Amino acid sequence: MKDASRDRIQVEDAILRFKKAAVCTGAQAAAPAIPGMQEVGYLTNETLFSVTELPPRLCVIGAGPIGAEMAQTFARFGSRVTLMEKMGRLLPREDLDASTIVQAQMVKDGVQFIFDATIVRVEARGSDKIVHYETHRRAAELVVDEILVGIGRAPNVEGLGLENVNVEYDGSGVKVNQRLRTSNPQIYAAGDVCFPFKFTHTADAMAQIVIQNALIPHPFGLGYARTDSLVIPWCTYTEPEVAHVGLYEANAAARGLEVETFTYNLDEVDRAILDGQTDGFARIHVKKGTDKILGATIVAAHAGEMISEFTVLMKSGRGLKTLTSTIHPYPTQAEVIKKVANAWRKARFTESQKNILKKWFAWTR
Ligand SMILES: Cc1cc2nc3c(=O)[nH]c(=O)nc-3n(C[C@H](O)[C@H](O)[C@H](O)COP(=O)(O)OP(=O)(O)OC[C@H]3O[C@@H](n4cnc5c(N)ncnc54)[C@H](O)[C@@H]3O)c2cc1C
């Protein structure tokens, strides 16, 4: 962004004028503030895909989605992988039992875990890389061939001259309102550079919001698209996958929402048994006393394919009654979605309804 005249951008030597512009510069791997790391060298999610030889021993730092996915992948390729995390568990943002299931599979894949780890420094010793760390007040070192850092992503805001055109930003990115407009009314932003949910599908949804708001006329100020109307699912592509949409139980409690939570395990779903993929579950959080879905988590081999059923219901304002009256083909793993909805329905039966049903079943035998 060239100057404060607010409608010019410099691309190499050319000055281009715009009526509306959008900042979509994405994010990059956050740099670790660990002494010695720059000197020793490390891989990130950007450089990882250029690696041509399998590191025999790999230290992955960060047990979030990228760290978990890459640790499992490299373990399956044949690397001896150690995953280090400063928190106490894998995928700390997901439900504990979800991450426990994934961790158990990763242990079977050969991944070693070091939790509550503080990395003190890194040094090179010959061709080895030594990671000095502390865990539970015990100092130790790990010797590896390569280090992969997956500790989060930082927005690409530097060097664009945003300050010249009055576009406010900070370490978390370009500041936007719900319409994705920046502090300069002619300039919008979309994607990782301005949004906490850093996914391809959210970047795409935000691009559509920017197009609608920046390029289409809005008579009487009507017809603006907003980010708060987005229902955003996500998925961690480990095996099994962990997919989620909406609130977690803790989020709901923090917002003062009373929820009822229902879980149905895959080991009671015929297709999952047939497929030998019984490690997982579907979980729903429902607004108490209603059928309104506030959030859902699925742990399953193809959880990312299954979560959209909940997303559609949430986006369209439909609840579990729609789900319980929707036929699901048998045998599919997605039946777990119907079964968890049925668990909600059963919990709503009154004692007299239960008694009538019991008598009915006894009579029909
Ligand atoms: C390892 C990894 C795995 C991921 N897996 C998934 C996944 O499975 N599913 C999912 O939904 N999301 C995933 N993501 C996240 C997803 O890639 C991003 O959320 C998405 O790409 C964001 O889109 P964007 O357009 O905002 O930014 P980007 O896709 O990063 O695009 C920004 C572009 O702007 C360019 N740029 C930057 N600065 C400038 C400049 N000054 N001038 C010109 N161009 C510039 C960049 O080079 C880049 O090409 C993953 C990310 C990583 C790192």
PDB file of all heavy atoms in Angstrom, residues 273-300:
ATOM      1  N   ILE A 273     -18.223 -51.361  13.149  1.00  0.00           N
ATOM      2  CA  ILE A 273     -17.726 -52.683  13.583  1.00  0.00           C
ATOM      3  C   ILE A 273     -17.223 -53.459  12.372  1.00  0.00           C
ATOM      4  O   ILE A 273     -16.124 -54.021  12.383  1.00  0.00           O
ATOM      5  CB  ILE A 273     -18.845 -53.448  14.325  1.00  0.00           C
ATOM      6  CG1 ILE A 273     -19.232 -52.705  15.616  1.00  0.00           C
ATOM      7  CG2 ILE A 273     -18.417 -54.880  14.635  1.00  0.00           C
ATOM      8  CD1 ILE A 273     -20.524 -53.186  16.260  1.00  0.00           C
ATOM      9  N   LEU A 274     -18.027 -53.450  11.292  1.00  0.00           N
ATOM     10  CA  LEU A 274     -17.616 -54.154  10.069  1.00  0.00           C
ATOM     11  C   LEU A 274     -16.306 -53.613   9.521  1.00  0.00           C
ATOM     12  O   LEU A 274     -15.442 -54.350   9.057  1.00  0.00           O
ATOM     13  CB  LEU A 274     -18.692 -53.988   8.982  1.00  0.00           C
ATOM     14  CG  LEU A 274     -19.953 -54.816   9.132  1.00  0.00           C
ATOM     15  CD1 LEU A 274     -20.997 -54.369   8.125  1.00  0.00           C
ATOM     16  CD2 LEU A 274     -19.621 -56.284   8.927  1.00  0.00           C
ATOM     17  N   ASP A 275     -16.165 -52.275   9.563  1.00  0.00           N
ATOM     18  CA  ASP A 275     -14.954 -51.633   9.027  1.00  0.00           C
ATOM     19  C   ASP A 275     -13.760 -51.747   9.969  1.00  0.00           C
ATOM     20  O   ASP A 275     -12.647 -51.365   9.604  1.00  0.00           O
ATOM     21  CB  ASP A 275     -15.210 -50.132   8.770  1.00  0.00           C
ATOM     22  CG  ASP A 275     -16.171 -49.905   7.604  1.00  0.00           C
ATOM     23  OD1 ASP A 275     -16.342 -50.814   6.780  1.00  0.00           O
ATOM     24  OD2 ASP A 275     -16.738 -48.794   7.527  1.00  0.00           O
ATOM     25  N   GLY A 276     -13.999 -52.219  11.182  1.00  0.00           N
ATOM     26  CA  GLY A 276     -12.911 -52.264  12.165  1.00  0.00           C
ATOM     27  C   GLY A 276     -12.462 -50.870  12.568  1.00  0.00           C
ATOM     28  O   GLY A 276     -11.292 -50.631  12.855  1.00  0.00           O
ATOM     29  N   GLN A 277     -13.427 -49.917  12.566  1.00  0.00           N
ATOM     30  CA  GLN A 277     -13.086 -48.516  12.898  1.00  0.00           C
ATOM     31  C   GLN A 277     -13.991 -48.035  14.028  1.00  0.00           C
ATOM     32  O   GLN A 277     -14.762 -47.085  13.884  1.00  0.00           O
ATOM     33  CB  GLN A 277     -13.248 -47.642  11.642  1.00  0.00           C
ATOM     34  CG  GLN A 277     -12.232 -47.999  10.575  1.00  0.00           C
ATOM     35  CD  GLN A 277     -12.460 -47.290   9.257  1.00  0.00           C
ATOM     36  OE1 GLN A 277     -13.589 -46.978   8.896  1.00  0.00           O
ATOM     37  NE2 GLN A 277     -11.376 -47.036   8.529  1.00  0.00           N
ATOM     38  N   THR A 278     -13.881 -48.728  15.145  1.00  0.00           N
ATOM     39  CA  THR A 278     -14.823 -48.465  16.244  1.00  0.00           C
ATOM     40  C   THR A 278     -14.308 -47.427  17.247  1.00  0.00           C
ATOM     41  O   THR A 278     -15.004 -47.118  18.215  1.00  0.00           O
ATOM     42  CB  THR A 278     -15.125 -49.770  17.001  1.00  0.00           C
ATOM     43  OG1 THR A 278     -13.873 -50.383  17.334  1.00  0.00           O
ATOM     44  CG2 THR A 278     -15.960 -50.724  16.171  1.00  0.00           C
ATOM     45  N   ASP A 279     -13.110 -46.909  17.030  1.00  0.00           N
ATOM     46  CA  ASP A 279     -12.589 -45.910  17.975  1.00  0.00           C
ATOM     47  C   ASP A 279     -13.163 -44.549  17.620  1.00  0.00           C
ATOM     48  O   ASP A 279     -12.678 -43.896  16.679  1.00  0.00           O
ATOM     49  CB  ASP A 279     -11.054 -45.845  17.900  1.00  0.00           C
ATOM     50  CG  ASP A 279     -10.419 -47.116  18.418  1.00  0.00           C
ATOM     51  OD1 ASP A 279     -11.076 -47.808  19.218  1.00  0.00           O
ATOM     52  OD2 ASP A 279      -9.286 -47.418  18.013  1.00  0.00           O
ATOM     53  N   GLY A 280     -14.158 -44.125  18.339  1.00  0.00           N
ATOM     54  CA  GLY A 280     -14.713 -42.809  18.056  1.00  0.00           C
ATOM     55  C   GLY A 280     -16.114 -42.667  18.583  1.00  0.00           C
ATOM     56  O   GLY A 280     -16.665 -43.579  19.208  1.00  0.00           O
ATOM     57  N   PHE A 281     -16.690 -41.507  18.322  1.00  0.00           N
ATOM     58  CA  PHE A 281     -18.039 -41.221  18.820  1.00  0.00           C
ATOM     59  C   PHE A 281     -18.607 -40.006  18.096  1.00  0.00           C
ATOM     60  O   PHE A 281     -17.876 -39.277  17.411  1.00  0.00           O
ATOM     61  CB  PHE A 281     -18.011 -40.965  20.331  1.00  0.00           C
ATOM     62  CG  PHE A 281     -17.115 -39.824  20.759  1.00  0.00           C
ATOM     63  CD1 PHE A 281     -17.508 -38.502  20.629  1.00  0.00           C
ATOM     64  CD2 PHE A 281     -15.851 -40.079  21.304  1.00  0.00           C
ATOM     65  CE1 PHE A 281     -16.678 -37.453  21.029  1.00  0.00           C
ATOM     66  CE2 PHE A 281     -15.009 -39.037  21.701  1.00  0.00           C
ATOM     67  CZ  PHE A 281     -15.440 -37.728  21.562  1.00  0.00           C
ATOM     68  N   ALA A 282     -19.910 -39.821  18.268  1.00  0.00           N
ATOM     69  CA  ALA A 282     -20.544 -38.546  17.885  1.00  0.00           C
ATOM     70  C   ALA A 282     -21.093 -37.934  19.162  1.00  0.00           C
ATOM     71  O   ALA A 282     -21.667 -38.637  19.998  1.00  0.00           O
ATOM     72  CB  ALA A 282     -21.661 -38.787  16.887  1.00  0.00           C
ATOM     73  N   ARG A 283     -20.905 -36.635  19.301  1.00  0.00           N
ATOM     74  CA  ARG A 283     -21.366 -35.932  20.516  1.00  0.00           C
ATOM     75  C   ARG A 283     -22.104 -34.671  20.104  1.00  0.00           C
ATOM     76  O   ARG A 283     -21.645 -33.948  19.213  1.00  0.00           O
ATOM     77  CB  ARG A 283     -20.148 -35.578  21.377  1.00  0.00           C
ATOM     78  CG  ARG A 283     -20.495 -34.681  22.573  1.00  0.00           C
ATOM     79  CD  ARG A 283     -19.333 -34.610  23.533  1.00  0.00           C
ATOM     80  NE  ARG A 283     -19.058 -35.934  24.058  1.00  0.00           N
ATOM     81  CZ  ARG A 283     -17.832 -36.383  24.380  1.00  0.00           C
ATOM     82  NH1 ARG A 283     -16.794 -35.590  24.248  1.00  0.00           N
ATOM     83  NH2 ARG A 283     -17.665 -37.594  24.837  1.00  0.00           N
ATOM     84  N   ILE A 284     -23.212 -34.428  20.764  1.00  0.00           N
ATOM     85  CA  ILE A 284     -23.941 -33.190  20.498  1.00  0.00           C
ATOM     86  C   ILE A 284     -24.181 -32.439  21.802  1.00  0.00           C
ATOM     87  O   ILE A 284     -24.390 -33.040  22.855  1.00  0.00           O
ATOM     88  CB  ILE A 284     -25.317 -33.444  19.828  1.00  0.00           C
ATOM     89  CG1 ILE A 284     -26.029 -34.629  20.487  1.00  0.00           C
ATOM     90  CG2 ILE A 284     -25.191 -33.595  18.333  1.00  0.00           C
ATOM     91  CD1 ILE A 284     -27.448 -34.792  20.044  1.00  0.00           C
ATOM     92  N   HIS A 285     -24.147 -31.129  21.690  1.00  0.00           N
ATOM     93  CA  HIS A 285     -24.533 -30.253  22.789  1.00  0.00           C
ATOM     94  C   HIS A 285     -25.812 -29.547  22.352  1.00  0.00           C
ATOM     95  O   HIS A 285     -25.838 -28.906  21.297  1.00  0.00           O
ATOM     96  CB  HIS A 285     -23.441 -29.229  23.093  1.00  0.00           C
ATOM     97  CG  HIS A 285     -22.094 -29.856  23.323  1.00  0.00           C
ATOM     98  ND1 HIS A 285     -21.854 -30.729  24.357  1.00  0.00           N
ATOM     99  CD2 HIS A 285     -20.936 -29.765  22.629  1.00  0.00           C
ATOM    100  CE1 HIS A 285     -20.597 -31.134  24.308  1.00  0.00           C
ATOM    101  NE2 HIS A 285     -20.019 -30.566  23.252  1.00  0.00           N
ATOM    102  N   VAL A 286     -26.839 -29.699  23.176  1.00  0.00           N
ATOM    103  CA  VAL A 286     -28.159 -29.181  22.819  1.00  0.00           C
ATOM    104  C   VAL A 286     -28.573 -28.149  23.857  1.00  0.00           C
ATOM    105  O   VAL A 286     -28.304 -28.330  25.055  1.00  0.00           O
ATOM    106  CB  VAL A 286     -29.178 -30.343  22.812  1.00  0.00           C
ATOM    107  CG1 VAL A 286     -30.527 -29.876  22.311  1.00  0.00           C
ATOM    108  CG2 VAL A 286     -28.671 -31.492  21.979  1.00  0.00           C
ATOM    109  N   LYS A 287     -29.208 -27.073  23.397  1.00  0.00           N
ATOM    110  CA  LYS A 287     -29.715 -26.092  24.359  1.00  0.00           C
ATOM    111  C   LYS A 287     -30.773 -26.770  25.223  1.00  0.00           C
ATOM    112  O   LYS A 287     -31.717 -27.368  24.701  1.00  0.00           O
ATOM    113  CB  LYS A 287     -30.316 -24.896  23.625  1.00  0.00           C
ATOM    114  CG  LYS A 287     -30.676 -23.769  24.525  1.00  0.00           C
ATOM    115  CD  LYS A 287     -31.104 -22.561  23.735  1.00  0.00           C
ATOM    116  CE  LYS A 287     -31.554 -21.481  24.700  1.00  0.00           C
ATOM    117  NZ  LYS A 287     -32.249 -20.409  24.024  1.00  0.00           N
ATOM    118  N   LYS A 288     -30.599 -26.682  26.524  1.00  0.00           N
ATOM    119  CA  LYS A 288     -31.435 -27.461  27.453  1.00  0.00           C
ATOM    120  C   LYS A 288     -32.921 -27.217  27.195  1.00  0.00           C
ATOM    121  O   LYS A 288     -33.351 -26.080  27.017  1.00  0.00           O
ATOM    122  CB  LYS A 288     -31.087 -27.083  28.898  1.00  0.00           C
ATOM    123  CG  LYS A 288     -31.661 -28.048  29.879  1.00  0.00           C
ATOM    124  CD  LYS A 288     -31.102 -27.840  31.265  1.00  0.00           C
ATOM    125  CE  LYS A 288     -31.700 -28.894  32.171  1.00  0.00           C
ATOM    126  NZ  LYS A 288     -31.348 -28.745  33.534  1.00  0.00           N
ATOM    127  N   GLY A 289     -33.665 -28.303  27.155  1.00  0.00           N
ATOM    128  CA  GLY A 289     -35.115 -28.219  26.994  1.00  0.00           C
ATOM    129  C   GLY A 289     -35.568 -27.983  25.562  1.00  0.00           C
ATOM    130  O   GLY A 289     -36.757 -27.819  25.313  1.00  0.00           O
ATOM    131  N   THR A 290     -34.627 -27.935  24.625  1.00  0.00           N
ATOM    132  CA  THR A 290     -34.976 -27.706  23.217  1.00  0.00           C
ATOM    133  C   THR A 290     -34.277 -28.773  22.368  1.00  0.00           C
ATOM    134  O   THR A 290     -33.531 -29.601  22.889  1.00  0.00           O
ATOM    135  CB  THR A 290     -34.494 -26.325  22.721  1.00  0.00           C
ATOM    136  OG1 THR A 290     -33.061 -26.392  22.550  1.00  0.00           O
ATOM    137  CG2 THR A 290     -34.827 -25.228  23.705  1.00  0.00           C
ATOM    138  N   ASP A 291     -34.507 -28.714  21.051  1.00  0.00           N
ATOM    139  CA  ASP A 291     -33.753 -29.609  20.165  1.00  0.00           C
ATOM    140  C   ASP A 291     -32.674 -28.837  19.404  1.00  0.00           C
ATOM    141  O   ASP A 291     -32.123 -29.317  18.424  1.00  0.00           O
ATOM    142  CB  ASP A 291     -34.689 -30.345  19.197  1.00  0.00           C
ATOM    143  CG  ASP A 291     -35.186 -29.467  18.071  1.00  0.00           C
ATOM    144  OD1 ASP A 291     -35.218 -28.225  18.243  1.00  0.00           O
ATOM    145  OD2 ASP A 291     -35.528 -30.017  17.005  1.00  0.00           O
ATOM    146  N   LYS A 292     -32.373 -27.624  19.876  1.00  0.00           N
ATOM    147  CA  LYS A 292     -31.417 -26.764  19.169  1.00  0.00           C
ATOM    148  C   LYS A 292     -29.968 -27.237  19.385  1.00  0.00           C
ATOM    149  O   LYS A 292     -29.499 -27.313  20.531  1.00  0.00           O
ATOM    150  CB  LYS A 292     -31.567 -25.327  19.667  1.00  0.00           C
ATOM    151  CG  LYS A 292     -30.709 -24.365  18.903  1.00  0.00           C
ATOM    152  CD  LYS A 292     -30.923 -22.956  19.377  1.00  0.00           C
ATOM    153  CE  LYS A 292     -29.862 -22.117  18.688  1.00  0.00           C
ATOM    154  NZ  LYS A 292     -30.020 -20.771  18.657  1.00  0.00           N
ATOM    155  N   ILE A 293     -29.292 -27.511  18.287  1.00  0.00           N
ATOM    156  CA  ILE A 293     -27.901 -27.987  18.370  1.00  0.00           C
ATOM    157  C   ILE A 293     -26.976 -26.784  18.534  1.00  0.00           C
ATOM    158  O   ILE A 293     -26.973 -25.875  17.703  1.00  0.00           O
ATOM    159  CB  ILE A 293     -27.503 -28.758  17.088  1.00  0.00           C
ATOM    160  CG1 ILE A 293     -28.492 -29.896  16.815  1.00  0.00           C
ATOM    161  CG2 ILE A 293     -26.088 -29.307  17.196  1.00  0.00           C
ATOM    162  CD1 ILE A 293     -28.411 -30.430  15.395  1.00  0.00           C
ATOM    163  N   LEU A 294     -26.193 -26.793  19.606  1.00  0.00           N
ATOM    164  CA  LEU A 294     -25.233 -25.700  19.825  1.00  0.00           C
ATOM    165  C   LEU A 294     -23.836 -26.079  19.352  1.00  0.00           C
ATOM    166  O   LEU A 294     -23.030 -25.217  19.020  1.00  0.00           O
ATOM    167  CB  LEU A 294     -25.175 -25.342  21.311  1.00  0.00           C
ATOM    168  CG  LEU A 294     -26.473 -24.803  21.914  1.00  0.00           C
ATOM    169  CD1 LEU A 294     -26.304 -24.604  23.412  1.00  0.00           C
ATOM    170  CD2 LEU A 294     -26.864 -23.495  21.248  1.00  0.00           C
ATOM    171  N   GLY A 295     -23.556 -27.374  19.347  1.00  0.00           N
ATOM    172  CA  GLY A 295     -22.235 -27.801  18.907  1.00  0.00           C
ATOM    173  C   GLY A 295     -22.188 -29.310  18.757  1.00  0.00           C
ATOM    174  O   GLY A 295     -23.046 -30.019  19.309  1.00  0.00           O
ATOM    175  N   ALA A 296     -21.228 -29.783  18.015  1.00  0.00           N
ATOM    176  CA  ALA A 296     -21.093 -31.233  17.818  1.00  0.00           C
ATOM    177  C   ALA A 296     -19.640 -31.580  17.559  1.00  0.00           C
ATOM    178  O   ALA A 296     -18.897 -30.793  16.957  1.00  0.00           O
ATOM    179  CB  ALA A 296     -21.949 -31.691  16.638  1.00  0.00           C
ATOM    180  N   THR A 297     -19.252 -32.751  18.034  1.00  0.00           N
ATOM    181  CA  THR A 297     -17.913 -33.291  17.758  1.00  0.00           C
ATOM    182  C   THR A 297     -18.087 -34.713  17.240  1.00  0.00           C
ATOM    183  O   THR A 297     -18.916 -35.465  17.772  1.00  0.00           O
ATOM    184  CB  THR A 297     -17.057 -33.339  19.042  1.00  0.00           C
ATOM    185  OG1 THR A 297     -16.865 -32.008  19.525  1.00  0.00           O
ATOM    186  CG2 THR A 297     -15.687 -33.973  18.784  1.00  0.00           C
ATOM    187  N   ILE A 298     -17.328 -35.053  16.209  1.00  0.00           N
ATOM    188  CA  ILE A 298     -17.318 -36.440  15.744  1.00  0.00           C
ATOM    189  C   ILE A 298     -15.866 -36.903  15.704  1.00  0.00           C
ATOM    190  O   ILE A 298     -14.992 -36.199  15.181  1.00  0.00           O
ATOM    191  CB  ILE A 298     -17.927 -36.586  14.333  1.00  0.00           C
ATOM    192  CG1 ILE A 298     -19.382 -36.083  14.317  1.00  0.00           C
ATOM    193  CG2 ILE A 298     -17.874 -38.045  13.879  1.00  0.00           C
ATOM    194  CD1 ILE A 298     -20.021 -36.108  12.940  1.00  0.00           C
ATOM    195  N   VAL A 299     -15.613 -38.062  16.280  1.00  0.00           N
ATOM    196  CA  VAL A 299     -14.323 -38.731  16.128  1.00  0.00           C
ATOM    197  C   VAL A 299     -14.612 -39.999  15.343  1.00  0.00           C
ATOM    198  O   VAL A 299     -15.376 -40.860  15.811  1.00  0.00           O
ATOM    199  CB  VAL A 299     -13.692 -39.070  17.484  1.00  0.00           C
ATOM    200  CG1 VAL A 299     -12.325 -39.735  17.282  1.00  0.00           C
ATOM    201  CG2 VAL A 299     -13.559 -37.826  18.344  1.00  0.00           C
ATOM    202  N   ALA A 300     -14.053 -40.098  14.159  1.00  0.00           N
ATOM    203  CA  ALA A 300     -14.337 -41.255  13.291  1.00  0.00           C
ATOM    204  C   ALA A 300     -13.339 -41.237  12.144  1.00  0.00           C
ATOM    205  O   ALA A 300     -12.676 -40.220  11.902  1.00  0.00           O
ATOM    206  CB  ALA A 300     -15.754 -41.188  12.738  1.00  0.00           C
TER     207      ALA A 300
END
